[in-house]
Amino acid sequence: MGLGSRRQMEEVIKSGRVSINQKPATIGDRVEQGDEIRVDGRLIKYKSEREKRRRVLAYYKPEGEICSANDPEGRTTVFERLPKLTHDRWVMVGRLDINSTGLLLFTNDGELAHRLMHPSNEIEREYAVRILGELTPEMMRNLTDGVMLEDGLAKFEDIKQGGGEGVNKWYHVKLKEGRNREVRRLIESQGLKVSRLLRTRYGSVDLPKELRTGRFIELDRKDIHRLIELVGLRAREEMGVHGKAKEKKERFQKKPMKARHVRNNQKSGPSTGPKSGPRSGGPASKGRSSGKDSGSRGGRR
């Protein structure tokens, strides 16, 4: 209901501050629609998960933002850009490190987020990677056959060249899990270094062409339906944007807003500056390019 994190609310329950039908609640109690839930005596209005409108946001993360709800160092977090929810919360689907950019999904459906991230569902992610150096055919075979990292065997499902000039070469890679810094560690296992990393797809959702860095767009029912089919969830009566929100999305698609940059108060990680979008000679070989604006890109890949 957006009152706090799971861990925080467990402590609130243990301390006796939550009641169900005027009786003290304990961890593991189950409730049904119509039960009276109070926190510190205040009546909580709620809906069952099945009755809530299922929502999904696609967000274009810039470099320098932290994939966390709060950062003790005061750096910008991805949650600061999102619309506020009442009696609900956004759950992040996967992560990107501070130096990576691209598609992040957020949803108010915790089960959908869990299934999209769980390794057993093998949801495919795609990245555009700029490498300092060049992957040889032997290196590509190593990376698709599997490389033993410190946390186990890892591999790319596919690698394709993406162009580039000089010492920097672009590649498009796919993988079916989301371990910490996995793309970077796989490339580094071949003695090379990643200089840019952009996630372009998560499951059935491509990074929308109208998005600029620091901006989000809400998915419609059709897009969400494709996502839930990947993980075997049932559709809900209400899913995606509708009404005025749908009209706003359509206006946004016709006239995208300018990129938003990370404020310069983070203690580590680069500022986005004018470098936050892939440039010509990089992933543009597959249809993406950037104009003068840092987050602008060309058509879909």
Side-chain angles (χ1 to χ4, degrees), residues 61-98:
K61 176 194 172 299
E63 291 180 19
E65 282 190 351
I66 303 295
C67 285
S68 174
N70 297 288
D71 181 61
E73 298 182 36
R75 294 169 294 187
T76 306
T77 77
V78 293
F79 285 91
E80 293 176 28
R81 309 286 202 185
L82 307 184
K84 303 300 180 185
L85 295 177
T86 303
H87 303 307
D88 210 347
R89 81 290 186 223
W90 292 116
V91 181
M92 183 168 55
V93 179
R95 305 173 72 87
L96 288 169
D97 65 51
I98 188 171

PDB file of all heavy atoms in Angstrom, residues 61-98:
ATOM      1  N   LYS A  61      17.093   5.481 -18.341  1.00  0.00           N
ATOM      2  CA  LYS A  61      18.041   5.868 -17.288  1.00  0.00           C
ATOM      3  C   LYS A  61      19.282   6.519 -17.892  1.00  0.00           C
ATOM      4  O   LYS A  61      19.913   5.968 -18.782  1.00  0.00           O
ATOM      5  CB  LYS A  61      18.464   4.638 -16.481  1.00  0.00           C
ATOM      6  CG  LYS A  61      19.522   4.942 -15.417  1.00  0.00           C
ATOM      7  CD  LYS A  61      20.150   3.665 -14.905  1.00  0.00           C
ATOM      8  CE  LYS A  61      21.327   3.918 -13.985  1.00  0.00           C
ATOM      9  NZ  LYS A  61      22.430   4.651 -14.617  1.00  0.00           N
ATOM     10  N   PRO A  62      19.663   7.692 -17.367  1.00  0.00           N
ATOM     11  CA  PRO A  62      20.934   8.298 -17.792  1.00  0.00           C
ATOM     12  C   PRO A  62      22.092   7.812 -16.928  1.00  0.00           C
ATOM     13  O   PRO A  62      21.876   7.223 -15.867  1.00  0.00           O
ATOM     14  CB  PRO A  62      20.690   9.798 -17.569  1.00  0.00           C
ATOM     15  CG  PRO A  62      19.677   9.867 -16.473  1.00  0.00           C
ATOM     16  CD  PRO A  62      18.887   8.589 -16.507  1.00  0.00           C
ATOM     17  N   GLU A  63      23.297   8.047 -17.376  1.00  0.00           N
ATOM     18  CA  GLU A  63      24.473   7.772 -16.540  1.00  0.00           C
ATOM     19  C   GLU A  63      24.412   8.650 -15.299  1.00  0.00           C
ATOM     20  O   GLU A  63      23.914   9.762 -15.327  1.00  0.00           O
ATOM     21  CB  GLU A  63      25.764   8.073 -17.301  1.00  0.00           C
ATOM     22  CG  GLU A  63      26.050   7.124 -18.454  1.00  0.00           C
ATOM     23  CD  GLU A  63      27.338   7.476 -19.180  1.00  0.00           C
ATOM     24  OE1 GLU A  63      28.167   8.198 -18.594  1.00  0.00           O
ATOM     25  OE2 GLU A  63      27.509   7.055 -20.332  1.00  0.00           O
ATOM     26  N   GLY A  64      24.937   8.127 -14.197  1.00  0.00           N
ATOM     27  CA  GLY A  64      25.034   8.918 -12.972  1.00  0.00           C
ATOM     28  C   GLY A  64      23.895   8.726 -12.007  1.00  0.00           C
ATOM     29  O   GLY A  64      23.979   9.172 -10.867  1.00  0.00           O
ATOM     30  N   GLU A  65      22.792   8.072 -12.420  1.00  0.00           N
ATOM     31  CA  GLU A  65      21.684   7.811 -11.518  1.00  0.00           C
ATOM     32  C   GLU A  65      21.850   6.444 -10.855  1.00  0.00           C
ATOM     33  O   GLU A  65      22.352   5.503 -11.464  1.00  0.00           O
ATOM     34  CB  GLU A  65      20.347   7.865 -12.251  1.00  0.00           C
ATOM     35  CG  GLU A  65      19.871   9.269 -12.505  1.00  0.00           C
ATOM     36  CD  GLU A  65      18.449   9.335 -13.023  1.00  0.00           C
ATOM     37  OE1 GLU A  65      17.863   8.283 -13.361  1.00  0.00           O
ATOM     38  OE2 GLU A  65      17.931  10.460 -13.103  1.00  0.00           O
ATOM     39  N   ILE A  66      21.387   6.347  -9.613  1.00  0.00           N
ATOM     40  CA  ILE A  66      21.499   5.136  -8.811  1.00  0.00           C
ATOM     41  C   ILE A  66      20.191   4.355  -8.870  1.00  0.00           C
ATOM     42  O   ILE A  66      19.114   4.931  -8.716  1.00  0.00           O
ATOM     43  CB  ILE A  66      21.817   5.486  -7.344  1.00  0.00           C
ATOM     44  CG1 ILE A  66      23.085   6.321  -7.251  1.00  0.00           C
ATOM     45  CG2 ILE A  66      21.948   4.222  -6.492  1.00  0.00           C
ATOM     46  CD1 ILE A  66      24.329   5.608  -7.682  1.00  0.00           C
ATOM     47  N   CYS A  67      20.274   3.042  -9.083  1.00  0.00           N
ATOM     48  CA  CYS A  67      19.090   2.184  -9.084  1.00  0.00           C
ATOM     49  C   CYS A  67      18.754   1.773  -7.657  1.00  0.00           C
ATOM     50  O   CYS A  67      18.951   0.623  -7.250  1.00  0.00           O
ATOM     51  CB  CYS A  67      19.314   0.962  -9.971  1.00  0.00           C
ATOM     52  SG  CYS A  67      19.227   1.325 -11.729  1.00  0.00           S
ATOM     53  N   SER A  68      18.262   2.726  -6.907  1.00  0.00           N
ATOM     54  CA  SER A  68      17.916   2.509  -5.504  1.00  0.00           C
ATOM     55  C   SER A  68      16.864   3.539  -5.111  1.00  0.00           C
ATOM     56  O   SER A  68      16.782   4.612  -5.718  1.00  0.00           O
ATOM     57  CB  SER A  68      19.164   2.663  -4.620  1.00  0.00           C
ATOM     58  OG  SER A  68      18.823   2.588  -3.252  1.00  0.00           O
ATOM     59  N   ALA A  69      16.045   3.198  -4.116  1.00  0.00           N
ATOM     60  CA  ALA A  69      15.037   4.150  -3.661  1.00  0.00           C
ATOM     61  C   ALA A  69      15.672   5.309  -2.906  1.00  0.00           C
ATOM     62  O   ALA A  69      15.203   6.447  -2.974  1.00  0.00           O
ATOM     63  CB  ALA A  69      14.009   3.441  -2.782  1.00  0.00           C
ATOM     64  N   ASN A  70      16.749   5.023  -2.184  1.00  0.00           N
ATOM     65  CA  ASN A  70      17.446   6.056  -1.421  1.00  0.00           C
ATOM     66  C   ASN A  70      18.947   5.845  -1.532  1.00  0.00           C
ATOM     67  O   ASN A  70      19.420   4.714  -1.597  1.00  0.00           O
ATOM     68  CB  ASN A  70      17.042   5.998   0.065  1.00  0.00           C
ATOM     69  CG  ASN A  70      15.569   6.283   0.274  1.00  0.00           C
ATOM     70  OD1 ASN A  70      15.122   7.406   0.135  1.00  0.00           O
ATOM     71  ND2 ASN A  70      14.810   5.245   0.617  1.00  0.00           N
ATOM     72  N   ASP A  71      19.691   6.950  -1.563  1.00  0.00           N
ATOM     73  CA  ASP A  71      21.147   6.853  -1.610  1.00  0.00           C
ATOM     74  C   ASP A  71      21.739   7.668  -0.466  1.00  0.00           C
ATOM     75  O   ASP A  71      21.510   8.879  -0.394  1.00  0.00           O
ATOM     76  CB  ASP A  71      21.685   7.370  -2.945  1.00  0.00           C
ATOM     77  CG  ASP A  71      23.202   7.258  -3.022  1.00  0.00           C
ATOM     78  OD1 ASP A  71      23.708   6.122  -2.939  1.00  0.00           O
ATOM     79  OD2 ASP A  71      23.874   8.295  -3.127  1.00  0.00           O
ATOM     80  N   PRO A  72      22.493   7.039   0.451  1.00  0.00           N
ATOM     81  CA  PRO A  72      23.057   7.770   1.592  1.00  0.00           C
ATOM     82  C   PRO A  72      24.013   8.878   1.183  1.00  0.00           C
ATOM     83  O   PRO A  72      24.249   9.811   1.959  1.00  0.00           O
ATOM     84  CB  PRO A  72      23.774   6.665   2.397  1.00  0.00           C
ATOM     85  CG  PRO A  72      23.961   5.527   1.449  1.00  0.00           C
ATOM     86  CD  PRO A  72      22.829   5.598   0.491  1.00  0.00           C
ATOM     87  N   GLU A  73      24.577   8.801  -0.035  1.00  0.00           N
ATOM     88  CA  GLU A  73      25.493   9.835  -0.497  1.00  0.00           C
ATOM     89  C   GLU A  73      24.772  10.989  -1.182  1.00  0.00           C
ATOM     90  O   GLU A  73      25.399  11.943  -1.641  1.00  0.00           O
ATOM     91  CB  GLU A  73      26.525   9.229  -1.452  1.00  0.00           C
ATOM     92  CG  GLU A  73      27.405   8.170  -0.803  1.00  0.00           C
ATOM     93  CD  GLU A  73      28.438   7.630  -1.778  1.00  0.00           C
ATOM     94  OE1 GLU A  73      28.949   8.405  -2.601  1.00  0.00           O
ATOM     95  OE2 GLU A  73      28.737   6.424  -1.709  1.00  0.00           O
ATOM     96  N   GLY A  74      23.454  10.918  -1.259  1.00  0.00           N
ATOM     97  CA  GLY A  74      22.680  12.018  -1.811  1.00  0.00           C
ATOM     98  C   GLY A  74      22.676  12.116  -3.323  1.00  0.00           C
ATOM     99  O   GLY A  74      22.312  13.149  -3.884  1.00  0.00           O
ATOM    100  N   ARG A  75      23.057  11.024  -4.006  1.00  0.00           N
ATOM    101  CA  ARG A  75      23.056  11.053  -5.463  1.00  0.00           C
ATOM    102  C   ARG A  75      21.638  10.876  -6.007  1.00  0.00           C
ATOM    103  O   ARG A  75      20.762  10.349  -5.321  1.00  0.00           O
ATOM    104  CB  ARG A  75      23.984   9.958  -6.007  1.00  0.00           C
ATOM    105  CG  ARG A  75      25.449  10.178  -5.668  1.00  0.00           C
ATOM    106  CD  ARG A  75      26.303   8.956  -5.970  1.00  0.00           C
ATOM    107  NE  ARG A  75      25.969   7.826  -5.112  1.00  0.00           N
ATOM    108  CZ  ARG A  75      26.657   6.686  -5.075  1.00  0.00           C
ATOM    109  NH1 ARG A  75      27.713   6.534  -5.859  1.00  0.00           N
ATOM    110  NH2 ARG A  75      26.296   5.715  -4.264  1.00  0.00           N
ATOM    111  N   THR A  76      21.431  11.300  -7.230  1.00  0.00           N
ATOM    112  CA  THR A  76      20.126  11.164  -7.864  1.00  0.00           C
ATOM    113  C   THR A  76      19.773   9.693  -8.024  1.00  0.00           C
ATOM    114  O   THR A  76      20.602   8.899  -8.456  1.00  0.00           O
ATOM    115  CB  THR A  76      20.124  11.835  -9.250  1.00  0.00           C
ATOM    116  OG1 THR A  76      20.555  13.187  -9.125  1.00  0.00           O
ATOM    117  CG2 THR A  76      18.730  11.825  -9.855  1.00  0.00           C
ATOM    118  N   THR A  77      18.531   9.320  -7.683  1.00  0.00           N
ATOM    119  CA  THR A  77      18.079   7.951  -7.871  1.00  0.00           C
ATOM    120  C   THR A  77      17.017   7.907  -8.963  1.00  0.00           C
ATOM    121  O   THR A  77      16.355   8.901  -9.251  1.00  0.00           O
ATOM    122  CB  THR A  77      17.494   7.346  -6.582  1.00  0.00           C
ATOM    123  OG1 THR A  77      16.169   7.865  -6.377  1.00  0.00           O
ATOM    124  CG2 THR A  77      18.364   7.673  -5.380  1.00  0.00           C
ATOM    125  N   VAL A  78      16.856   6.736  -9.565  1.00  0.00           N
ATOM    126  CA  VAL A  78      15.890   6.593 -10.654  1.00  0.00           C
ATOM    127  C   VAL A  78      14.459   6.832 -10.180  1.00  0.00           C
ATOM    128  O   VAL A  78      13.606   7.254 -10.969  1.00  0.00           O
ATOM    129  CB  VAL A  78      16.014   5.199 -11.306  1.00  0.00           C
ATOM    130  CG1 VAL A  78      17.343   5.058 -12.019  1.00  0.00           C
ATOM    131  CG2 VAL A  78      15.841   4.077 -10.285  1.00  0.00           C
ATOM    132  N   PHE A  79      14.177   6.602  -8.896  1.00  0.00           N
ATOM    133  CA  PHE A  79      12.811   6.756  -8.390  1.00  0.00           C
ATOM    134  C   PHE A  79      12.388   8.218  -8.306  1.00  0.00           C
ATOM    135  O   PHE A  79      11.191   8.510  -8.277  1.00  0.00           O
ATOM    136  CB  PHE A  79      12.679   6.093  -7.012  1.00  0.00           C
ATOM    137  CG  PHE A  79      12.629   4.590  -7.082  1.00  0.00           C
ATOM    138  CD1 PHE A  79      13.788   3.838  -7.003  1.00  0.00           C
ATOM    139  CD2 PHE A  79      11.419   3.922  -7.227  1.00  0.00           C
ATOM    140  CE1 PHE A  79      13.745   2.451  -7.073  1.00  0.00           C
ATOM    141  CE2 PHE A  79      11.370   2.536  -7.297  1.00  0.00           C
ATOM    142  CZ  PHE A  79      12.537   1.801  -7.220  1.00  0.00           C
ATOM    143  N   GLU A  80      13.349   9.145  -8.259  1.00  0.00           N
ATOM    144  CA  GLU A  80      13.010  10.556  -8.141  1.00  0.00           C
ATOM    145  C   GLU A  80      12.272  11.082  -9.363  1.00  0.00           C
ATOM    146  O   GLU A  80      11.555  12.081  -9.287  1.00  0.00           O
ATOM    147  CB  GLU A  80      14.282  11.383  -7.918  1.00  0.00           C
ATOM    148  CG  GLU A  80      14.952  11.114  -6.591  1.00  0.00           C
ATOM    149  CD  GLU A  80      16.259  11.882  -6.441  1.00  0.00           C
ATOM    150  OE1 GLU A  80      16.389  12.965  -7.045  1.00  0.00           O
ATOM    151  OE2 GLU A  80      17.148  11.392  -5.722  1.00  0.00           O
ATOM    152  N   ARG A  81      12.438  10.412 -10.508  1.00  0.00           N
ATOM    153  CA  ARG A  81      11.828  10.876 -11.752  1.00  0.00           C
ATOM    154  C   ARG A  81      10.403  10.365 -11.941  1.00  0.00           C
ATOM    155  O   ARG A  81       9.686  10.835 -12.819  1.00  0.00           O
ATOM    156  CB  ARG A  81      12.657  10.394 -12.939  1.00  0.00           C
ATOM    157  CG  ARG A  81      14.150  10.688 -12.863  1.00  0.00           C
ATOM    158  CD  ARG A  81      14.462  12.128 -13.108  1.00  0.00           C
ATOM    159  NE  ARG A  81      15.853  12.305 -13.547  1.00  0.00           N
ATOM    160  CZ  ARG A  81      16.418  13.480 -13.738  1.00  0.00           C
ATOM    161  NH1 ARG A  81      15.717  14.579 -13.530  1.00  0.00           N
ATOM    162  NH2 ARG A  81      17.683  13.566 -14.137  1.00  0.00           N
ATOM    163  N   LEU A  82       9.983   9.378 -11.150  1.00  0.00           N
ATOM    164  CA  LEU A  82       8.730   8.677 -11.415  1.00  0.00           C
ATOM    165  C   LEU A  82       7.524   9.402 -10.834  1.00  0.00           C
ATOM    166  O   LEU A  82       7.641  10.151  -9.856  1.00  0.00           O
ATOM    167  CB  LEU A  82       8.796   7.263 -10.830  1.00  0.00           C
ATOM    168  CG  LEU A  82       9.994   6.409 -11.245  1.00  0.00           C
ATOM    169  CD1 LEU A  82       9.853   5.007 -10.664  1.00  0.00           C
ATOM    170  CD2 LEU A  82      10.152   6.354 -12.759  1.00  0.00           C
ATOM    171  N   PRO A  83       6.336   9.190 -11.405  1.00  0.00           N
ATOM    172  CA  PRO A  83       5.121   9.804 -10.845  1.00  0.00           C
ATOM    173  C   PRO A  83       4.804   9.215  -9.477  1.00  0.00           C
ATOM    174  O   PRO A  83       5.069   8.044  -9.218  1.00  0.00           O
ATOM    175  CB  PRO A  83       4.037   9.444 -11.871  1.00  0.00           C
ATOM    176  CG  PRO A  83       4.548   8.222 -12.562  1.00  0.00           C
ATOM    177  CD  PRO A  83       6.045   8.370 -12.600  1.00  0.00           C
ATOM    178  N   LYS A  84       4.246  10.034  -8.602  1.00  0.00           N
ATOM    179  CA  LYS A  84       3.914   9.585  -7.251  1.00  0.00           C
ATOM    180  C   LYS A  84       2.659   8.732  -7.276  1.00  0.00           C
ATOM    181  O   LYS A  84       1.728   8.986  -8.035  1.00  0.00           O
ATOM    182  CB  LYS A  84       3.710  10.785  -6.319  1.00  0.00           C
ATOM    183  CG  LYS A  84       4.896  11.734  -6.242  1.00  0.00           C
ATOM    184  CD  LYS A  84       6.149  11.024  -5.741  1.00  0.00           C
ATOM    185  CE  LYS A  84       7.338  11.990  -5.660  1.00  0.00           C
ATOM    186  NZ  LYS A  84       8.588  11.293  -5.297  1.00  0.00           N
ATOM    187  N   LEU A  85       2.628   7.707  -6.424  1.00  0.00           N
ATOM    188  CA  LEU A  85       1.477   6.826  -6.302  1.00  0.00           C
ATOM    189  C   LEU A  85       0.869   6.971  -4.914  1.00  0.00           C
ATOM    190  O   LEU A  85       1.584   7.199  -3.932  1.00  0.00           O
ATOM    191  CB  LEU A  85       1.880   5.368  -6.518  1.00  0.00           C
ATOM    192  CG  LEU A  85       2.388   4.982  -7.919  1.00  0.00           C
ATOM    193  CD1 LEU A  85       2.819   3.521  -7.930  1.00  0.00           C
ATOM    194  CD2 LEU A  85       1.328   5.233  -8.967  1.00  0.00           C
ATOM    195  N   THR A  86      -0.447   6.835  -4.822  1.00  0.00           N
ATOM    196  CA  THR A  86      -1.148   6.876  -3.543  1.00  0.00           C
ATOM    197  C   THR A  86      -1.534   5.462  -3.153  1.00  0.00           C
ATOM    198  O   THR A  86      -2.163   4.749  -3.944  1.00  0.00           O
ATOM    199  CB  THR A  86      -2.418   7.749  -3.655  1.00  0.00           C
ATOM    200  OG1 THR A  86      -2.041   9.063  -4.093  1.00  0.00           O
ATOM    201  CG2 THR A  86      -3.112   7.855  -2.299  1.00  0.00           C
ATOM    202  N   HIS A  87      -1.150   5.049  -1.952  1.00  0.00           N
ATOM    203  CA  HIS A  87      -1.435   3.701  -1.447  1.00  0.00           C
ATOM    204  C   HIS A  87      -0.910   2.628  -2.402  1.00  0.00           C
ATOM    205  O   HIS A  87      -1.551   1.592  -2.623  1.00  0.00           O
ATOM    206  CB  HIS A  87      -2.935   3.513  -1.211  1.00  0.00           C
ATOM    207  CG  HIS A  87      -3.539   4.510  -0.281  1.00  0.00           C
ATOM    208  ND1 HIS A  87      -3.026   4.745   0.971  1.00  0.00           N
ATOM    209  CD2 HIS A  87      -4.604   5.338  -0.441  1.00  0.00           C
ATOM    210  CE1 HIS A  87      -3.759   5.676   1.567  1.00  0.00           C
ATOM    211  NE2 HIS A  87      -4.696   6.053   0.739  1.00  0.00           N
ATOM    212  N   ASP A  88       0.231   2.868  -2.989  1.00  0.00           N
ATOM    213  CA  ASP A  88       0.843   1.918  -3.912  1.00  0.00           C
ATOM    214  C   ASP A  88       2.316   2.258  -4.028  1.00  0.00           C
ATOM    215  O   ASP A  88       2.777   3.258  -3.454  1.00  0.00           O
ATOM    216  CB  ASP A  88       0.160   1.975  -5.282  1.00  0.00           C
ATOM    217  CG  ASP A  88       0.204   0.634  -6.006  1.00  0.00           C
ATOM    218  OD1 ASP A  88       0.962  -0.260  -5.573  1.00  0.00           O
ATOM    219  OD2 ASP A  88      -0.522   0.482  -7.007  1.00  0.00           O
ATOM    220  N   ARG A  89       3.081   1.452  -4.772  1.00  0.00           N
ATOM    221  CA  ARG A  89       4.516   1.722  -4.907  1.00  0.00           C
ATOM    222  C   ARG A  89       4.992   1.207  -6.247  1.00  0.00           C
ATOM    223  O   ARG A  89       4.392   0.319  -6.854  1.00  0.00           O
ATOM    224  CB  ARG A  89       5.324   1.092  -3.769  1.00  0.00           C
ATOM    225  CG  ARG A  89       5.638  -0.407  -3.925  1.00  0.00           C
ATOM    226  CD  ARG A  89       4.426  -1.280  -3.771  1.00  0.00           C
ATOM    227  NE  ARG A  89       4.738  -2.711  -3.786  1.00  0.00           N
ATOM    228  CZ  ARG A  89       4.003  -3.594  -4.463  1.00  0.00           C
ATOM    229  NH1 ARG A  89       2.968  -3.216  -5.191  1.00  0.00           N
ATOM    230  NH2 ARG A  89       4.285  -4.873  -4.397  1.00  0.00           N
ATOM    231  N   TRP A  90       6.097   1.778  -6.722  1.00  0.00           N
ATOM    232  CA  TRP A  90       6.747   1.306  -7.936  1.00  0.00           C
ATOM    233  C   TRP A  90       7.801   0.268  -7.573  1.00  0.00           C
ATOM    234  O   TRP A  90       8.584   0.474  -6.647  1.00  0.00           O
ATOM    235  CB  TRP A  90       7.412   2.457  -8.690  1.00  0.00           C
ATOM    236  CG  TRP A  90       6.470   3.446  -9.286  1.00  0.00           C
ATOM    237  CD1 TRP A  90       6.342   4.764  -8.957  1.00  0.00           C
ATOM    238  CD2 TRP A  90       5.517   3.202 -10.336  1.00  0.00           C
ATOM    239  NE1 TRP A  90       5.372   5.358  -9.720  1.00  0.00           N
ATOM    240  CE2 TRP A  90       4.848   4.433 -10.578  1.00  0.00           C
ATOM    241  CE3 TRP A  90       5.165   2.080 -11.078  1.00  0.00           C
ATOM    242  CZ2 TRP A  90       3.853   4.547 -11.549  1.00  0.00           C
ATOM    243  CZ3 TRP A  90       4.166   2.197 -12.033  1.00  0.00           C
ATOM    244  CH2 TRP A  90       3.523   3.425 -12.257  1.00  0.00           C
ATOM    245  N   VAL A  91       7.817  -0.820  -8.314  1.00  0.00           N
ATOM    246  CA  VAL A  91       8.834  -1.860  -8.133  1.00  0.00           C
ATOM    247  C   VAL A  91       9.715  -1.858  -9.376  1.00  0.00           C
ATOM    248  O   VAL A  91       9.213  -1.921 -10.505  1.00  0.00           O
ATOM    249  CB  VAL A  91       8.197  -3.248  -7.943  1.00  0.00           C
ATOM    250  CG1 VAL A  91       9.277  -4.312  -7.730  1.00  0.00           C
ATOM    251  CG2 VAL A  91       7.209  -3.237  -6.779  1.00  0.00           C
ATOM    252  N   MET A  92      11.020  -1.782  -9.171  1.00  0.00           N
ATOM    253  CA  MET A  92      11.963  -1.754 -10.289  1.00  0.00           C
ATOM    254  C   MET A  92      12.197  -3.165 -10.807  1.00  0.00           C
ATOM    255  O   MET A  92      12.358  -4.107 -10.043  1.00  0.00           O
ATOM    256  CB  MET A  92      13.286  -1.127  -9.817  1.00  0.00           C
ATOM    257  CG  MET A  92      14.349  -0.970 -10.880  1.00  0.00           C
ATOM    258  SD  MET A  92      15.702   0.091 -10.299  1.00  0.00           S
ATOM    259  CE  MET A  92      16.165  -0.759  -8.776  1.00  0.00           C
ATOM    260  N   VAL A  93      12.233  -3.300 -12.136  1.00  0.00           N
ATOM    261  CA  VAL A  93      12.481  -4.590 -12.774  1.00  0.00           C
ATOM    262  C   VAL A  93      13.934  -4.615 -13.239  1.00  0.00           C
ATOM    263  O   VAL A  93      14.305  -3.979 -14.223  1.00  0.00           O
ATOM    264  CB  VAL A  93      11.534  -4.810 -13.970  1.00  0.00           C
ATOM    265  CG1 VAL A  93      11.826  -6.154 -14.640  1.00  0.00           C
ATOM    266  CG2 VAL A  93      10.081  -4.740 -13.518  1.00  0.00           C
ATOM    267  N   GLY A  94      14.774  -5.355 -12.514  1.00  0.00           N
ATOM    268  CA  GLY A  94      16.193  -5.388 -12.855  1.00  0.00           C
ATOM    269  C   GLY A  94      16.885  -4.103 -12.447  1.00  0.00           C
ATOM    270  O   GLY A  94      16.270  -3.189 -11.889  1.00  0.00           O
ATOM    271  N   ARG A  95      18.170  -4.034 -12.730  1.00  0.00           N
ATOM    272  CA  ARG A  95      18.964  -2.872 -12.350  1.00  0.00           C
ATOM    273  C   ARG A  95      19.928  -2.534 -13.490  1.00  0.00           C
ATOM    274  O   ARG A  95      20.179  -3.343 -14.372  1.00  0.00           O
ATOM    275  CB  ARG A  95      19.792  -3.151 -11.086  1.00  0.00           C
ATOM    276  CG  ARG A  95      18.998  -3.619  -9.905  1.00  0.00           C
ATOM    277  CD  ARG A  95      19.906  -4.028  -8.755  1.00  0.00           C
ATOM    278  NE  ARG A  95      20.521  -2.881  -8.121  1.00  0.00           N
ATOM    279  CZ  ARG A  95      19.971  -2.177  -7.135  1.00  0.00           C
ATOM    280  NH1 ARG A  95      18.791  -2.521  -6.675  1.00  0.00           N
ATOM    281  NH2 ARG A  95      20.593  -1.162  -6.606  1.00  0.00           N
ATOM    282  N   LEU A  96      20.470  -1.326 -13.424  1.00  0.00           N
ATOM    283  CA  LEU A  96      21.583  -0.909 -14.272  1.00  0.00           C
ATOM    284  C   LEU A  96      22.576  -0.208 -13.361  1.00  0.00           C
ATOM    285  O   LEU A  96      22.166   0.543 -12.465  1.00  0.00           O
ATOM    286  CB  LEU A  96      21.115   0.054 -15.378  1.00  0.00           C
ATOM    287  CG  LEU A  96      20.294  -0.539 -16.519  1.00  0.00           C
ATOM    288  CD1 LEU A  96      19.695   0.570 -17.373  1.00  0.00           C
ATOM    289  CD2 LEU A  96      21.128  -1.482 -17.381  1.00  0.00           C
ATOM    290  N   ASP A  97      23.873  -0.434 -13.572  1.00  0.00           N
ATOM    291  CA  ASP A  97      24.838   0.225 -12.696  1.00  0.00           C
ATOM    292  C   ASP A  97      24.905   1.710 -13.004  1.00  0.00           C
ATOM    293  O   ASP A  97      24.363   2.189 -14.000  1.00  0.00           O
ATOM    294  CB  ASP A  97      26.217  -0.449 -12.764  1.00  0.00           C
ATOM    295  CG  ASP A  97      26.869  -0.326 -14.129  1.00  0.00           C
ATOM    296  OD1 ASP A  97      26.949   0.799 -14.655  1.00  0.00           O
ATOM    297  OD2 ASP A  97      27.333  -1.347 -14.672  1.00  0.00           O
ATOM    298  N   ILE A  98      25.575   2.466 -12.151  1.00  0.00           N
ATOM    299  CA  ILE A  98      25.579   3.918 -12.243  1.00  0.00           C
ATOM    300  C   ILE A  98      26.112   4.420 -13.572  1.00  0.00           C
ATOM    301  O   ILE A  98      25.695   5.466 -14.075  1.00  0.00           O
ATOM    302  CB  ILE A  98      26.387   4.526 -11.059  1.00  0.00           C
ATOM    303  CG1 ILE A  98      26.238   6.057 -11.026  1.00  0.00           C
ATOM    304  CG2 ILE A  98      27.852   4.112 -11.125  1.00  0.00           C
ATOM    305  CD1 ILE A  98      26.827   6.698  -9.782  1.00  0.00           C
TER     306      ILE A  98
END
